[in-house]
Amino acid sequence: MIPRSYAIDDISVTSCAYPPAKIRDDNTGLLHFSCDFDNLTLCGMETGDRFMKPMYNFTIKTGETVPDRSLGPLLDHTTNSSAGGFSYWKRQLPFTSGDLGYLFTAYPMVSNLGMCIRFAYYVKSSVKDKNGTMLGVTTGGCFGTTLWSILLDDSQGWQVVNLLAPNVVCMETYYLSVYQKTPVAVAVAIDDFIIDQCNTFTTTTTVTSTTTTTITSPSTTTSTTPATTTVTSTTTSSTIHTTTTTSGSTISTTTTTTTTTTSKSNARRVFCSNRFQTNTAILKCDFETSCNDFAIDSNWGLTDGAHPLPTNHDHTLNTSAGHYLFYSPQSQPPFYNVEAEIKTKEWVQLPLDRAVCFQMWYYTPRIDFPFTVQLVQGDDEQLTRIVASIPGKDPSTNDWTLVKIRLPAEKFKLFIRSNVSVKPLAFDDISIDYCDEPRPEPPKTLLACDFESNCVNEFVSLSDYPYPWLIKKASEAIVEETKAPTFDFTYGNQSGHYAFVANSKLIEQGNVGYLATRTQFDITANESFCLNFHYYAFGVEYYSYLKVYARYLDPFETVQQIWPPTFREYIYTNAKWTWSVINLPLGYYSLWFRVDTLKAYPRSFAIDDLSVTCAYPPITFPYDGMLLSFECNFDNSSMCGMQNGDRYTTPTYNFTIETSETIPDRTLGPFHDHTTNSSTGGFVYWNRQLPFMAGNSGVVLPPKMVEFNLGMCVRYAYYVKSSVENQNGTVVSVWTGLCDSQSIWQRKLDDSKGWQTIVIPVPKIVCEGTIYFYVHQLVNVPVSVAFDDIEIGPCDILDPTTTTTTTTTSTTSTTTVTTTTTTDTTTTISSTTTTTPTTTTITITESTSTSTRSNARRVLFSNEFILIVFCILLKFF
């Protein structure tokens, strides 16, 4: 400190001829402030300004007027009576995560050494063990910092906090803030708010806190004798230590409070790291001492200005003795596979009440030397956002250049990356620190569920699929599945709940289970979001997958896999709660979580702490999604998007939409459609043209790929009528394709005797493929071939209610069929061939229909005559 003071003399207040002075508001301050709210006013305190916009305000309440008397407080702190006033944070339904409130004096305080802040607070939440409410005291003005903060659900009545103000002399505003992390009811109240000289605070108990100030200059070091200030309190205290650098001086403050925060044990509890609740630690590397906050790979070296690589001075000291990082890529041209990076060693979780920036200085003489700053999220580090792209040298300077980025209030690791194999490039003074920028907006949350409250009603396990999703306590879940997680993620104990698939007694290759959100999310380019959740994999590795789909409300009810990313192989973490996050695509859809079984080994998944929040750019996909179900009756003169052939199949002639009145040869039919049994009903017709030739073919398939699973069936009606008999000259068949290619149904015939209905299950596969409806003509004669009422979906929906069953010993890939079926007679045909050692039994249901239907779905449960053929597919799955 440099000694300096003033003297005054000859003070007078006299009349003069000058007009009255006008005092500007920014020169107005308070020497002290006190409010017990007992006059039922806020004493002029404010609840928001242009920099701090609350979602809900503080108002005056008493124990008799609080909105929820079950949460309280029922007595004030000042008089301990139900008629005494206090400041109450009044929220409105619906309660959401991220709700904010502020309370501060209308004018700033004229701060000085020996000033204290004292207040009583009350918190009571409708849930326990969530630590869902954060209270904090921050300063704003000449010296911004966080003085105190706490996370809790229940303060156990009124608690008193005594804080020592920063050792500064300036105009300073003190903000008391509340931030709600969980969407539950909570009562928050403040009483007896006082800012004054510490020696004016008197109670029966004395607690001592000490302030030591040290000022360091380049040439001399001066220490002052510790000054002791007495602060009084009536309850037990704990100590929070903060350190902030200002104008070359280090100010170290020890603050005495009357509350103690508790830490949590699992990954979620790292989110609100204490290093950002207070000012105790700032991520910084100036390379004059060991860099402990950032991990630096082998593509970087350390040097000083005396050994320039490439500059003769650093940025920190601006001398040749100062140190900095220089770029030394391990792969030299022409090998350009460099992946150089510098990253934070730990996850960073930033607060909402202060702006935090990333800063670094770089030097390069090259105009073209690109590198990026990226934020990475998820324990798998799958989600990456580029927040800055630096092209190279700033043309306006030949010295060190600043990169400064305001960071979002989220959890992430920060990476600096370059894949350029040339030189030179240097970095210095890399930091993540509080900055004088607008505070971050609180994240908007569309959905948040830890499976502990009513949010469980937001999810439904789809009963059309064999694997059920359950929501239970961990202690109950391990009874269902012995290898399930023994603790949840939210609380880290056996009392916490999570959702999981109980499938150990149902394991079968191809089985799946879906958990769907009831909410439909409308994600637009104007406001994007991402999905956060934690998963736990248990059982035999590599034989089961957890996937997340967007289920669109488009005409096809398309599903799109959004996690894990399909453009790279994903390796699941086993027997550990793992944080995953993915940015959501544009569209209107619900979210479906799926667990499937690739091979019949016991393996499953649990999920916990799911939320739809944050603001990542929407994801894009290289393909159009898949179908879980599909149906088309062709009565709207449309093929419902079905296409003739694909890149793997090229038909000779296409299928087109026709009616009995528009078909080319009315002597061959069909004379009515299958759906409505009318001449105006549509169907898809193989439209051959002269000259007819043996070998002609046609194929039609759904508009998108199908997400296959065990328990999926294909239902359709087919019609064949040839101009000749006893030739078996027409082959109609159904094939799976892409991920699994095989014939699942086939007929060789000349006459189907009208429309015939087929219900056939797909093989035991879990993959993305398609269904081909195929016709191949063996003889060069006219023939009429048509399909109608094509449906793909769960077998229990597509199977008719009335069946007649016969059994065969096996099938061949080509089945000879002799049909004598009429509308009143069902004939069973069987054939025998040699089979391989591994066989799979699939039931095919065939029926002849003459009844009129209003649409394809309504015939699903009609009483028809059924022919069931058991097929044994000669193929390993």
Side-chain angles (χ1 to χ4, degrees):
M1 291 185 181
I2 301 174
R4 179 176 175 81
S5 188
Y6 295 86
I8 60 174
D9 198 1
D10 285 348
I11 300 173
S12 66
V13 178
T14 62
S15 62
C16 60
Y18 278 86
K22 293 182 179 180
I23 306 298
R24 290 166 42 189
D25 284 344
D26 56 5
N27 287 334
T28 302
L30 303 176
L31 291 176
H32 55 82
F33 178 82
S34 176
C35 188
D36 60 13
F37 307 104
D38 283 340
N39 60 356
L40 301 185
T41 72
L42 287 172
C43 307
M45 297 186 76
E46 296 186 358
T47 58
D49 60 17
R50 59 179 176 151
F51 303 108
M52 311 178 90
K53 297 179 180 179
M55 296 178 181
Y56 299 105
N57 291 332
F58 279 88
T59 61
I60 291 295
K61 295 291 180 183
T62 69
E64 299 170 354
T65 62
V66 290
D68 189 341
R69 290 181 58 83
S70 66
L71 297 180
L74 302 181
L75 306 173
D76 76 329
H77 179 262
T78 314
T79 64
N80 198 33
S81 72
S82 62
F86 45 79
S87 179
Y88 182 89
W89 188 41
K90 187 177 180 182
R91 295 164 76 207
Q92 305 289 338
L93 287 169
F95 303 138
T96 61
S97 301
D99 288 348
L100 284 166
Y102 301 103
L103 189 66
F104 52 92
T105 58
Y107 294 103
M109 305 300 299
V110 182
S111 296
N112 57 76
L113 178 63
M115 178 171 280
C116 286
I117 304 100
R118 177 174 178 157
F119 60 92
Y121 71 89
Y122 177 101
V123 174
K124 178 71 173 179
S125 175
S126 59
V127 298
K128 297 180 179 179
D129 302 323
K130 297 289 289 183
N131 281 354
T133 303
M134 176 184 283
L135 292 180
V137 176
T138 58
T139 65
C142 63
F143 182 81
T145 187
T146 300
L147 298 181
W148 172 84
S149 64
I150 188 172
L151 276 167
L152 74 168
D153 295 315
D154 189 347
S155 62
Q156 305 296 324
W158 287 102
Q159 302 294 331
V160 177
V161 176
N162 293 290
L163 302 175
L164 187 62
N167 184 11
V168 292
V169 179
C170 61
M171 305 286 276
E172 195 75 344
T173 300
Y174 295 92
Y175 296 88
L176 197 149
S177 61
V178 56
Y179 171 67
Q180 187 61 28
K181 295 173 55 182
T182 53
V184 298
V186 63
V188 179
I190 303 297
D191 202 358
D192 295 333
F193 191 91
I194 305 172
I195 305 175
D196 209 337
Q197 293 301 114
C198 299
N199 56 16
T200 64
F201 291 8
T202 57
T203 57
T204 58
T205 304
T206 300
V207 180
T208 302
S209 95
T210 302
T211 303
T212 303
T213 303
T214 303
I215 301 176
T216 304
S217 67
S219 58
T220 62
T221 301
T222 304
S223 297
T224 65
T225 303
T228 301
T229 303
T230 300
V231 182
T232 58
S233 172
T234 57
T235 56
T236 305
S237 300
S238 63
T239 300
I240 302 173
H241 186 76
T242 63
T243 302
T244 306
T245 301
T246 306
S247 303
S249 302
T250 300
I251 301 175
S252 178
T253 305
T254 303
T255 303
T256 303
T257 72
T258 64
T259 56
T260 304
T261 58
T262 57
S263 61
K264 295 186 176 182
S265 59
N266 64 21
R268 180 182 184 181
R269 290 141 193 176
V270 177
F271 279 19
C272 290
S273 172
N274 286 335
R275 74 193 313 173
F276 288 105
Q277 290 181 18
T278 66
N279 234 4
T280 58
I282 298 171
L283 302 188
K284 184 174 183 179
C285 283
D286 61 11
F287 308 108
E288 304 306 322
T289 58
S290 297
C291 180
N292 298 317
D293 292 328
F294 292 86
I296 302 168
D297 70 11
S298 60
N299 291 289
W300 302 89
L302 185 66
T303 189
D304 57 26
H307 304 84
L309 290 169
T311 179
N312 61 3
H313 63 282
D314 76 329
H315 176 264
T316 311
L317 304 178
N318 197 28
T319 68
S320 61
H323 295 79
Y324 58 84
L325 282 184
F326 69 94
Y327 189 44
S328 179
Q330 297 303 297
S331 177
Q332 299 294 328
F335 308 103
Y336 293 96
N337 58 339
V338 178
E339 294 182 356
E341 67 181 27
I342 300 170
K343 65 178 181 179
T344 55
K345 289 184 177 180
E346 304 294 338
W347 290 104
V348 176
Q349 172 68 54
L350 300 184
L352 282 168
D353 61 341
R354 290 289 307 282
V356 176
C357 291
F358 165 76
Q359 288 193 165
M360 63 172 289
W361 293 82
Y362 77 96
Y363 174 83
T364 180
R366 301 177 65 97
I367 294 294
D368 183 16
F369 202 125
F371 63 91
T372 61
V373 180
Q374 304 176 8
L375 302 184
V376 174
Q377 293 184 291
D379 287 335
D380 49 18
E381 298 187 357
Q382 291 282 329
L383 186 58
T384 299
R385 168 174 32 174
I386 297 176
V387 293
S389 296
I390 294 86
K393 180 182 183 297
D394 183 350
S396 66
T397 182
N398 292 317
D399 206 342
W400 291 95
T401 302
L402 173 66
V403 175
K404 183 177 181 180
I405 307 161
R406 190 181 69 166
L407 298 173
E410 299 172 13
K411 181 184 177 183
F412 57 81
K413 286 183 178 179
L414 186 141
F415 284 69
I416 308 166
R417 284 174 165 157
S418 175
N419 58 4
V420 179
S421 59
V422 297
K423 303 176 184 178
L425 176 66
F427 289 161
D428 201 1
D429 290 333
I430 304 173
S431 68
I432 295 177
D433 199 355
Y434 296 101
C435 57
D436 189 17
E437 297 285 344
R439 69 180 57 215
E441 291 292 330
K444 182 176 179 181
T445 300
L446 301 184
L447 173 68
C449 191
D450 55 13
F451 302 105
E452 304 296 339
S453 60
N454 290 336
C455 70
V456 298
N457 298 323
E458 175 61 33
F459 295 87
V460 57
S461 179
L462 302 184
S463 59
D464 292 337
Y465 301 92
Y467 286 164
W469 281 81
L470 305 177
I471 299 174
K472 291 192 174 185
K473 292 181 181 179
S475 58
E476 298 172 348
I478 59 178
V479 176
E480 296 273 351
E481 296 287 339
T482 57
K483 294 186 179 180
T486 56
F487 56 90
D488 76 328
F489 178 79
T490 310
Y491 296 142
N493 60 38
Q494 288 195 342
S495 298
H497 295 71
Y498 54 75
F500 69 106
V501 170
N503 63 0
S504 60
K505 298 177 183 179
L506 303 170
I507 285 290
E508 187 171 356
Q509 179 177 319
N511 271 352
V512 301
Y514 285 94
L515 182 71
T517 63
R518 298 182 189 273
T519 297
Q520 306 291 331
F521 302 97
D522 188 9
I523 309 300
T524 67
N526 297 328
E527 192 174 29
S528 54
F529 294 87
C530 61
L531 168 68
N532 284 271
F533 66 97
H534 291 78
Y535 76 83
Y536 187 106
F538 55 96
V540 181
E541 296 187 50
Y542 309 121
Y543 296 111
S544 180
Y545 298 129
L546 170 68
K547 296 179 181 179
V548 184
Y549 294 87
R551 199 264 198 176
Y552 291 87
L553 294 182
D554 60 13
F556 300 118
E557 298 181 344
T558 306
V559 294
Q560 183 85 64
Q561 181 179 325
I562 60 176
W563 184 91
T566 56
F567 53 83
R568 66 169 71 97
E569 182 181 3
Y570 186 83
I571 299 176
Y572 295 89
T573 303
N574 208 49
K576 177 184 177 182
W577 283 111
T578 303
W579 173 37
S580 290
V581 56
I582 190 68
N583 43 334
L584 293 176
L586 300 178
Y588 188 62
Y589 51 81
S590 57
L591 295 175
W592 288 19
F593 293 78
R594 185 180 94 166
V595 169
D596 58 38
T597 298
L598 186 64
K599 293 187 178 180
Y601 295 97
R603 177 170 172 82
S604 191
F605 291 83
I607 61 173
D608 202 358
D609 273 10
L610 182 151
S611 67
V612 176
T613 183
C614 76
Y616 268 76
I619 196 171
T620 56
F621 295 101
Y623 57 97
D624 294 331
M626 298 157 289
L627 304 174
L628 289 180
S629 61
F630 175 78
E631 63 177 309
C632 190
N633 61 15
F634 309 103
D635 285 339
N636 58 355
S637 300
S638 166
M639 290 183 64
C640 306
M642 296 189 74
Q643 54 189 355
N644 285 281
D646 58 16
R647 59 177 175 165
Y648 307 103
T649 57
T650 303
T652 310
Y653 296 106
N654 288 336
F655 282 86
T656 59
I657 290 291
E658 304 290 345
T659 68
S660 299
E661 299 174 355
T662 63
I663 54 177
D665 189 343
R666 301 194 65 182
T667 63
L668 296 179
F671 305 106
H672 55 80
D673 75 328
H674 179 261
T675 312
T676 64
N677 199 30
S678 72
S679 62
T680 58
F683 45 79
V684 65
Y685 180 87
W686 188 37
N687 196 355
R688 292 171 78 207
Q689 307 292 328
L690 288 170
F692 302 138
M693 299 180 63
N696 290 165
S697 65
V699 61
V700 65
L701 61 149
K704 300 180 182 182
M705 291 189 296
V706 177
E707 187 71 56
F708 291 134
N709 58 263
L710 182 63
M712 176 176 281
C713 283
V714 183
R715 179 182 176 120
Y716 52 94
Y718 74 94
Y719 177 98
V720 174
K721 179 69 174 177
S722 175
S723 59
V724 298
E725 298 180 355
N726 301 319
Q727 294 287 313
N728 285 344
T730 302
V731 179
V732 286
S733 59
V734 177
W735 291 70
T736 60
L738 300 182
C739 67
D740 178 85
S741 182
Q742 59 178 295
S743 172
I744 59 175
W745 175 86
Q746 181 173 288
R747 293 288 182 272
K748 290 174 63 178
L749 72 169
D750 297 315
D751 189 349
S752 63
K753 306 297 183 181
W755 286 103
Q756 302 295 326
T757 301
I758 298 291
V759 180
I760 183 168
V762 301
K764 289 185 178 182
I765 51 177
V766 179
C767 59
E768 300 161 10
T770 193
I771 299 288
Y772 295 100
F773 297 86
Y774 187 76
V775 57
H776 181 73
Q777 188 62 25
L778 302 178
V779 293
N780 58 345
V781 297
V783 64
S784 175
V785 178
F787 290 102
D788 201 0
D789 295 330
I790 294 176
E791 296 183 78
I792 303 170
C795 295
D796 58 354
I797 294 178
L798 300 184
D799 268 336
T801 57
T802 303
T803 59
T804 303
T805 304
T806 60
T807 303
T808 66
T809 58
S810 61
T811 63
T812 62
S813 57
T814 302
T815 304
T816 302
V817 179
T818 304
T819 305
T820 58
T821 305
T822 68
T823 58
D824 299 317
T825 306
T826 300
T827 303
T828 301
I829 303 104
S830 65
S831 62
T832 304
T833 186
T834 303
T835 64
T836 58
T838 301
T839 62
T840 302
T841 300
I842 291 183
T843 302
I844 303 175
T845 304
E846 183 172 346
S847 64
T848 304
S849 301
T850 58
S851 59
T852 302
R853 310 187 312 169
S854 61
N855 58 38
R857 181 64 70 182
R858 290 175 186 151
V859 81
L860 298 183
F861 304 104
S862 63
N863 293 324
E864 301 174 318
F865 296 95
I866 307 298
L867 169 66
I868 299 182
V869 180
F870 288 89
C871 300
I872 301 177
L873 299 181
L874 311 180
K875 184 176 179 68
F876 288 93
F877 292 95

